[in-house]
Amino acid sequence: MANHTEAVARRTAGGRALAGRAAIVTGSTSGIGLGIAQALAAEGASVMLNGFGEPAAIQKLVHDVGRRHQVKVVFSGADIGKLDEVQEMVRYAEKALGSVDILVNNAGIQHVDPVERFPAERWDAVLAINLSSNFHAIRAALPQMKQRGWGRIINIASAHGLVASSGKAAYVAAKHGVIGLTKVVALETAETGITCNAICPGWVLTPLVERQIEANAKRDRISLNEAKQHLLAEKQPSKEFATPEQIGALTVFLCSEAAAQIRGAALPVDGGWTAQ
Ligand code: NAD
């Protein structure tokens, strides 16, 4: 109740909806994660960015996001495929930002090959980065959320958490696992002010998908533009990409008090992909 009153007070005072909240967004140096980090910062949350990239480019990103939205922004270069680095990232966020009120498990990788040719090492990497990292980060961040009685855990799953495609054994298994984990955490926190949900994007034009478009264009000897259209036509009835901004806006909504009873949901943002 206190949190609801606080949130109303912030809005009526003309404040930003997430002022005073602190967020970790994993894999936020590019693509969807960056869109989510920007959306949370625009609502006043302080943010820990995470991911890989050129140090100078990351330094500029930290500076630009902070300056644009007038919030504190810090960076962790943790490899979220490694348990100790995930734990260290959460501890660092608690120290640098004061708390972790919002945890967005976004970082992910892809590998495409038929099962019998799927390298075992890629299977292990996809499962570690796309699934186990979510468990480790939630496990590390939950106790202090429980102490304060408020939290938002948002796992970026995929349309591939709900349905499958050939060639993506590890990714589909990991994303289905993310939705299962989301439901368990939602049940275990059901009587608290902490919610846990998954967002399931369809195609979003990010470096992760651009690499698949390039591979398809090469395989089918077609232009990049044709490969892009084929990709959409095959799966996404709207024939339009979803955008990082749209995923960011849904994340902000899930952080609101209006979303307090959305628990354990897997919400598609997929142009109708999983309605078929
Ligand atoms: P992206 O490749 O643009 O970004 C991935 C981010 O994760 C980058 O910041 C990268 O540095 C970071 N990252 C990768 N491995 C990491 C590691 N071991 N430790 C820390 N950071 C790491 O990809 P994206 O398309 O923005 O994907 C983001 C999430 O959205 C992923 O979980 C992906 O599965 C999911 N998703 C994407 C799409 C899509 O169409 N793009 C669709 C559905 C779901």
Side-chain angles (χ1 to χ4, degrees):
M1 195 55 175
N3 279 302
H4 180 69
T5 316
E6 275 170 39
V8 170
R10 267 198 294 271
R11 277 198 303 277
T12 48
R16 295 185 285 178
L18 299 177
R21 305 284 191 212
I24 297 178
V25 185
T26 67
S28 44
T29 51
S30 103
I32 294 172
L34 182 54
I36 292 171
Q38 297 268 20
L40 294 173
E43 285 302 334
S46 55
V47 179
M48 170 170 279
L49 299 177
N50 156 258
F52 299 145
E54 287 295 315
I58 290 174
Q59 211 178 358
K60 184 172 181 319
L61 200 59
V62 169
H63 179 260
D64 290 352
V65 175
R67 197 181 152 154
R68 181 165 173 206
H69 303 295
Q70 294 297 302
V71 295
K72 182 167 184 180
V73 179
V74 295
F75 173 74
S76 158
D79 176 345
I80 54 109
K82 297 183 175 149
L83 165 63
D84 53 335
E85 296 195 25
V86 175
Q87 286 175 333
E88 181 52 37
M89 174 185 72
V90 173
R91 274 197 298 268
Y92 173 38
E94 284 170 13
K95 216 167 136 195
L97 304 177
S99 60
V100 179
D101 307 297
I102 299 163
L103 170 66
V104 183
N105 287 308
N106 165 78
I109 57 168
Q110 177 63 283
H111 182 89
V112 183
D113 254 327
V115 170
E116 69 276 20
R117 287 208 305 273
F118 209 98
E121 163 275 318
R122 295 317 294 157
W123 167 274
D124 288 344
V126 172
L127 268 287
I129 292 165
N130 294 17
L131 175 58
S132 298
S133 68
N134 292 22
F135 167 73
H136 297 316
I138 292 168
R139 188 167 170 271
L142 204 47
Q144 49 89 50
M145 285 183 184
K146 281 193 170 163
Q147 243 169 33
R148 284 191 310 284
W150 195 92
R152 292 290 186 265
I153 299 167
I154 296 153
N155 300 322
I156 306 305
S158 168
H160 282 122
L162 299 165
V163 295
S165 295
S166 5
K168 298 187 174 173
Y171 189 86
V172 168
K175 294 299 188 180
H176 275 68
V178 168
I179 293 179
L181 172 66
T182 301
K183 290 176 183 173
V184 172
V185 175
L187 291 178
E188 292 185 6
T189 54
E191 294 182 34
T192 73
I194 302 159
T195 72
C196 180
N197 292 289
I199 296 178
C200 301
W203 295 125
V204 182
L205 197 53
T206 66
L208 181 136
V209 167
E210 279 162 1
R211 282 192 289 275
Q212 294 175 63
I213 292 170
E214 281 161 23
N216 292 354
K218 209 165 149 197
R219 183 196 61 208
D220 301 337
R221 296 166 191 252
I222 53 176
S223 72
L224 283 179
N225 208 32
E226 281 171 312
K228 212 183 269 182
Q229 296 317 317
H230 286 187
L231 191 91
L232 286 171
E234 189 196 356
K235 299 283 185 189
Q236 201 140 307
S238 68
K239 298 197 173 62
E240 287 181 16
F241 288 100
T243 66
E245 291 74 21
Q246 289 165 344
I247 311 292
L250 178 54
T251 303
V252 167
F253 177 71
L254 286 173
C255 292
S256 72
E257 294 313 308
Q261 290 309 322
I262 302 179
R263 291 169 184 262
L267 303 165
V269 184
D270 66 2
W273 178 329
T274 55
Q276 297 171 101

